[in-house]
Amino acid sequence: MISLTANQIMWTAFIVGSSSPIIFFLLYKLGYVSKKIITLFIIGICVGLTWEIPFALAGDSFHLILVDWPIDFPLVRNINYAFLDSLIFLIGIFLCNKILKSDSYLYTFNSNALLIMIIWGSISEFLVDLNCSGKLWIFLENWYNPVFISISGKDMTLIPQLIWLLAPIVYYLSILRFLNNSKN
């Protein structure tokens, strides 16, 4: 297993997150990405901001940030993380397309698509927290955010896991609503 330092993880997150909107815009302008993919990316950012901004506002009462971010303006890190959250959602869309062999689930509710997104979101959150907790941040244990498991001395708390259990549901329902409304 590759073990990256906190600084390497932070710079990777910064570069990938910061460049993703620019890359998607360029790919769209060059005709490599459809308007639908841009829409899915933007919806993912909006859903990600629903917890990234409260995390920022909660500050040290909810989590401790362990590394300095390259751009030290309020919410920059959290907006960047929302870009990364959206990329996780898009990987879920890719998995749905590969497994279901169709994108009809984007227009008509499909419980299998939702299950794929929930499983992917939960697995990805678990892996991100396992690799970044203690390096980039620490979620604080308290009455509303208890530790549910400790792995190799890393305490994994409940709220981030619950978010990624619910976030794919919100994302998927938002997609259905938005794409169906844009067809009319």
Side-chain angles (χ1 to χ4, degrees):
M1 186 168 128
I2 298 173
S3 181
L4 299 175
T5 67
N7 213 26
Q8 290 168 325
I9 295 170
M10 183 271 304
W11 277 104
T12 301
F14 177 74
I15 291 166
V16 172
S18 305
S19 65
S20 63
I22 298 163
I23 290 170
F24 273 99
F25 176 77
L26 291 173
L27 290 173
Y28 174 71
K29 285 297 186 185
L30 295 171
Y32 293 107
V33 171
S34 68
K35 183 178 179 185
K36 178 172 61 176
I37 296 296
I38 297 297
T39 300
L40 296 174
F41 181 63
I42 292 169
I43 292 170
I45 294 167
C46 293
V47 172
L49 288 171
T50 65
W51 66 84
E52 295 296 352
I53 290 178
F55 280 9
L57 297 175
D60 292 349
S61 69
F62 181 68
H63 66 319
L64 302 176
I65 301 301
L66 304 176
V67 295
D68 292 328
W69 202 249
I71 300 174
D72 191 24
F73 291 120
L75 300 177
V76 168
R77 180 183 57 251
N78 303 86
I79 292 167
N80 192 80
Y81 283 161
F83 295 156
L84 294 169
D85 295 332
S86 187
L87 294 176
I88 291 170
F89 286 129
L90 288 177
I91 293 170
I93 295 293
F94 171 80
L95 293 172
C96 287
N97 288 344
K98 287 297 180 190
I99 294 167
L100 301 174
K101 310 284 189 225
S102 167
D103 71 351
S104 62
Y105 67 91
L106 293 172
Y107 305 97
T108 305
F109 180 81
N110 182 315
S111 59
N112 290 329
L114 180 57
L115 183 61
I116 291 165
M117 289 185 205
I118 290 170
I119 290 170
W120 166 245
S122 296
I123 289 170
S124 65
E125 165 54 31
F126 188 81
L127 292 174
V128 165
D129 219 17
L130 187 61
N131 287 295
C132 296
S133 182
K135 290 183 178 180
L136 299 186
W137 62 74
I138 295 174
F139 289 109
L140 301 177
E141 177 185 9
N142 51 45
W143 66 270
Y144 61 86
N145 191 33
V147 171
F148 77 93
I149 191 170
S150 287
I151 300 174
S152 300
K154 291 183 182 187
D155 291 337
M156 310 285 279
T157 59
L158 193 57
I159 286 182
Q161 293 301 311
L162 288 177
I163 286 171
W164 276 97
L165 184 65
L166 298 174
I169 297 169
V170 172
Y171 179 68
Y172 185 49
L173 295 177
S174 298
I175 287 169
L176 288 172
R177 183 175 181 109
F178 191 85
L179 291 181
N180 283 320
N181 283 343
S182 66
K183 280 177 30 178
N184 299 332

